[in-house]
Amino acid sequence: MTSTHRTNDDTCETYDVVVAGGGPVGLFLAGELRLGGANVLVVERLEEVDVTIKAGGINTAGAVALYRRGLLPELAEAWERNRWRLQAFLGDRAADAPATPPDSPAAPPAPDSPAAPPAPDAPRTPPKFAGHFAGIMMRGDLFDDSDPAFADIGPADRVGLGVPQADLERILAARADRLGVEVRRGVELTGFDAGEDGVLIHLGTGRPVRAGWLVGCDGGRSTVRKLAGFGFPGSEPEITGYQAVVEMSGGERLGKGWNTTDVGTYVNGPFPGRILTVEFDGPPADRSAPVTAEELQAALRRVSGVPEVTVHEVHSSTRFTDNARQADTYRRGRVLLAGDAAHVHSPFGGQGLNLGLGDAMNLGWKLAAVARGRAPESLLDSYTAERHPVGAWVLDWTRAQVAVMRPDRHARALRRVVTDLALTREGTTYLVGQISGVRQRYDLPGDHPLTGGSAPDLEFSDGTRLGERLRDGRAVLLDLADDPKLRARAEEYGDRVDVVTAVCPGRPELTGLLVRPDGFTAWAEDGDEDHSDGLDDALARWFVATADRARG
C-alpha cells in the first residue's frame, strides 16, 4: 500500500502530523504535538470513548507524566469517583491481608452506571497496596520508601492508580480539545502513500489528507504498522484470558483478589462484578468473536472450581493472550509507531497503558520540533533508541510473570521461591520500583546520578515545584546557584529552553539542571564543579540554536 511517490496534491487538507488512533496514547501524543506548535489531526474509527474493560490504573511514571502537563486534579477527581467501589469490595478484609492492587487491570463502572459517592458508613480506606507480580501480592509495610529511586516524586505519587482507562481517555480528550487538536471520530485510516516529503493518508470517509508525518497509535493489530512493513517479532501465546464486568450469583466461595489453582489463575475484584481468568490451554480460536456469558461462566467455573457460580449478564468483556511482540524499529521514514502499535504483551501488572504514555511523552516534543523545522530529522533517531529498550524490558517482565503463573509442578515450585523473595523488604522494594516505572532511564551522556532519569520534582523556596514549570512542554534550565554564566549558555536557545533561577532547600548540593520537555534530565551539576562543556553539549544535542535554524 505504501509507495515512494511525492505527495503534492494541493487539493488535500494538510497537517504537520496525522495520528491514527484516538485512544489515550494517541490523544496524549496529539496534545504533546500541539504544545510543540504542530498542526495535528487525530482519526479514530470508534465514534465514542471505548468503555470496554481494559487497564485499571496508571503507575507512578505515568502519573508523573500527566502531572507535568497539569492533569493531576483531573486524575485525583477520577480516582475519588472510583475509590468507594474499591473500599466497599475490600472493606471486610483484614488490614494486613493481600488484595488485588489498584494498578492491575480493573473494572470501569458498568456502561450507563454512574459512580456513586461513598455512603456515610462506608468502610475505611483499605491498606496501601504495593502492587503484585504474577498475582503475588506485595505488602505496603515492607516497601522501603527511602529508596533513592522514589525521592522527590512529588504529588503525583500513587494518584493515578485507581483511574480506569476509559476515564483517562475522557480526560485526555478534553485536554486535546482545549489545545486545539482536531479529532475525527468514526473515521478509519484505510491506507497511505509515504514519500520523501510527506504522507498521503486515505480515509474511509472520502478525500485523503496530507501530512508531513504519520504516527500509528492504532492498537496491537495496527493497520499503520502492517501497511508500513514494520517487522513485529516476538513470542507466541500460550494462554487464553478473559477480563469482564458481569452480574453473577453463587460466587460466595470465590476468593477475593488473585487466586492460583491447579488449573490456572482467576481474579475476583477489586470492584464488584469484575472477574479475570487465565488458562494455559493455548490461545483462543477467535479473539474477535463476541464474549458470551456462557463462555465466561465456563472459564470461571473451570479455573475456580466453584461449580455454582453463574454469570447472568455481561457489561463489558475482552479476551487476551500473552502474545508478546515488538516492532523492530519505531520509525520507518515518515511513519512512526507508539503504544500497542509498537508493542503487545499480556496485561499482567498493568504496564501497557503506561508504556504507551511514555512513548507519547518521549516522541511528542521531538516530532513537533522536526515537523515545525526547529530540529533535524536525526532527532527522531533518539525515539527508538530510548523507548525500544524500555518496551523490550516490559515484554520480558510480562513473560516472566506468565512463567511463574503456569500450573505445572516446576512453575509452582518457582512461584514459591519468588513469593518468599517478594515478601522481603528488599524484594518488595525492587519489584515496586520496577512496576512503578521510576527506575526507567535513558542512556544519555554524563556521569551525574540524575542524568538520564526522570527529573526529581524539586520544591523551590517559593513553594512551587519543578513539575509545574513543565506544563507548556518546553525544556527547563534550572539555575540553582544564581550563576549568570550558566544562564548565558542558554540564551541562544531562548525560544526552546526556559531558564529558571530558584533556590532549592532540599537539594543544596545541586547547582544546575537541564530538563528536557519530557521531564528527563539531560545534564546536572553539583557544587563548584564546572561541567559547562557538558551543558553546551546537552543543549546542542537536543535543541538547535536560533541562529543555526535561521541559517538552515
Side-chain angles (χ1 to χ4, degrees):
M1 182 68 69
T2 58
S3 67
T4 58
H5 72 265
R6 297 175 62 86
T7 59
N8 55 5
D9 182 358
D10 292 333
T11 66
C12 294
E13 296 177 275
T14 301
Y15 299 86
D16 293 323
V17 182
V18 168
V19 177
V25 174
L27 291 170
F28 191 43
L29 174 61
E32 292 299 289
L33 290 164
R34 282 297 299 141
L35 286 180
N39 183 20
V40 187
L41 170 67
V42 176
V43 293
E44 167 56 50
R45 64 179 181 82
L46 298 179
E47 296 185 356
E48 302 290 342
V49 172
D50 186 3
V51 296
T52 302
I53 181 170
K54 293 182 180 179
I58 308 162
N59 68 6
T60 302
V64 167
L66 296 166
Y67 155 63
R68 287 170 172 160
R69 296 303 186 251
L71 295 172
L72 200 61
E74 289 93 332
L75 289 179
E77 182 180 351
W79 168 229
E80 286 300 320
R81 288 197 305 268
N82 289 283
R83 185 171 63 176
W84 71 274
R85 304 169 72 237
L86 174 65
Q87 291 176 327
F89 188 75
L90 298 176
D92 61 344
R93 299 180 64 97
D96 60 350
T100 305
D103 65 336
S104 64
D112 304 320
S113 175
D121 58 349
R124 63 179 175 80
T125 302
K128 184 177 181 179
F129 298 112
H132 78 95
F133 179 84
I136 300 169
M137 300 304 147
M138 288 165 286
R139 290 167 34 192
D141 62 318
L142 291 176
F143 168 62
D144 182 5
D145 58 9
S146 67
D147 187 306
F150 292 86
D152 298 318
I153 290 176
D157 187 23
R158 302 191 64 83
V159 168
L161 292 183
V163 180
Q165 182 166 322
D167 285 358
L168 177 61
E169 185 173 330
R170 294 185 183 96
I171 290 170
L172 294 175
R175 176 202 186 223
D177 184 63
R178 292 193 300 270
L179 291 172
V181 173
E182 183 179 352
V183 180
R184 297 184 189 175
R185 287 193 168 272
V187 176
E188 187 170 7
L189 179 148
T190 58
F192 58 87
D193 301 297
E196 295 179 359
D197 59 351
V199 188
L200 187 68
I201 299 157
H202 305 285
L203 306 175
T205 55
R207 179 179 294 180
V209 298
R210 185 171 58 186
W213 303 86
L214 170 65
V215 185
C217 298
D218 50 343
R221 305 176 191 181
S222 170
T223 297
V224 172
R225 184 187 69 235
K226 294 173 183 175
L227 294 181
F230 286 86
F232 204 48
S235 52
E236 296 296 326
E238 60 181 84
I239 69 171
T240 292
Y242 297 96
Q243 186 177 194
V245 183
V246 303
E247 298 288 342
M248 64 181 177
S249 62
E252 294 79 10
R253 289 177 51 201
L254 292 175
K256 290 185 178 179
W258 286 74
N259 300 269
T260 300
T261 73
D262 292 339
V263 176
T265 296
Y266 76 93
V267 183
N268 178 21
F271 300 103
R274 184 265 184 159
I275 59 173
L276 180 148
T277 65
V278 179
E279 296 177 88
F280 289 80
D281 55 356
D286 184 0
R287 281 192 61 191
S288 61
V291 180
T292 65
E294 293 76 17
E295 189 177 358
L296 290 170
Q297 176 179 287
L300 187 56
R301 287 179 176 181
R302 283 193 303 268
V303 179
S304 70
V306 179
E308 62 267 28
V309 65
T310 301
V311 176
H312 302 286
E313 186 176 357
V314 180
H315 293 300
S316 177
S317 62
T318 183
R319 293 182 189 86
F320 65 87
T321 73
D322 59 330
N323 179 37
R325 297 184 178 278
Q326 184 180 26
D328 52 3
T329 178
Y330 289 0
R331 177 193 171 203
R332 289 178 61 88
R334 289 186 171 260
V335 182
L336 301 104
L337 303 176
D340 289 350
H343 36 70
V344 295
H345 51 82
S346 75
F348 304 131
Q351 293 292 318
L353 173 59
N354 298 288
L355 182 59
L357 294 175
D359 292 345
M361 194 77 163
N362 185 285
L363 175 61
W365 67 278
K366 298 173 182 177
L367 183 54
V370 172
R372 299 304 297 170
R374 298 194 303 267
E377 284 190 27
S378 58
L379 177 62
L380 295 176
D381 295 339
S382 67
Y383 172 52
T384 296
E386 293 178 354
R387 293 303 298 174
H388 201 277
V390 180
W393 174 85
V394 168
L395 263 65
D396 278 347
W397 183 260
T398 60
R399 289 184 181 114
Q401 292 183 79
V402 170
V404 175
M405 292 170 66
R406 290 184 183 125
D408 64 85
R409 180 172 295 180
H410 291 82
R412 289 301 159 87
L414 175 62
R415 185 180 185 87
R416 287 189 288 271
V417 173
V418 173
T419 300
D420 287 345
L421 291 172
L423 295 182
T424 64
R425 190 170 182 82
E426 294 80 5
T428 292
T429 303
Y430 166 78
L431 291 170
V432 172
Q434 300 298 90
I435 294 168
S436 67
V438 301
R439 298 188 188 280
Q440 291 179 8
R441 300 184 67 86
Y442 300 142
D443 185 15
L444 304 185
D447 55 7
H448 193 282
L450 294 180
T451 302
S454 180
D457 191 36
L458 301 176
E459 184 173 6
F460 306 126
S461 58
D462 63 0
T464 63
R465 307 189 72 100
L466 175 58
E468 300 167 15
R469 306 277 185 163
L470 296 169
R471 291 183 179 179
D472 62 0
R474 290 161 59 89
V476 172
L477 174 61
L478 282 179
D479 168 23
L480 300 175
D482 195 11
D483 183 354
K485 294 181 180 179
L486 180 69
R487 297 193 295 271
R489 293 184 178 278
E491 288 180 356
E492 58 184 321
Y493 302 90
D495 62 341
R496 299 294 311 282
V497 179
D498 292 334
V499 179
V500 176
T501 300
V503 175
C504 182
R507 289 288 189 99
E509 79 286 356
L510 194 61
T511 54
L513 197 72
L514 176 62
V515 183
R516 303 189 320 188
D518 58 358
F520 278 72
T521 302
W523 169 86
E525 180 178 78
D526 285 341
D528 297 329
E529 299 176 7
D530 183 8
H531 294 154
S532 54
D533 290 344
L535 174 58
D536 290 340
D537 291 344
L539 287 166
R541 178 185 180 92
W542 300 113
F543 314 107
V544 177
T546 304
D548 292 338
R549 291 205 304 273
R551 287 193 294 269

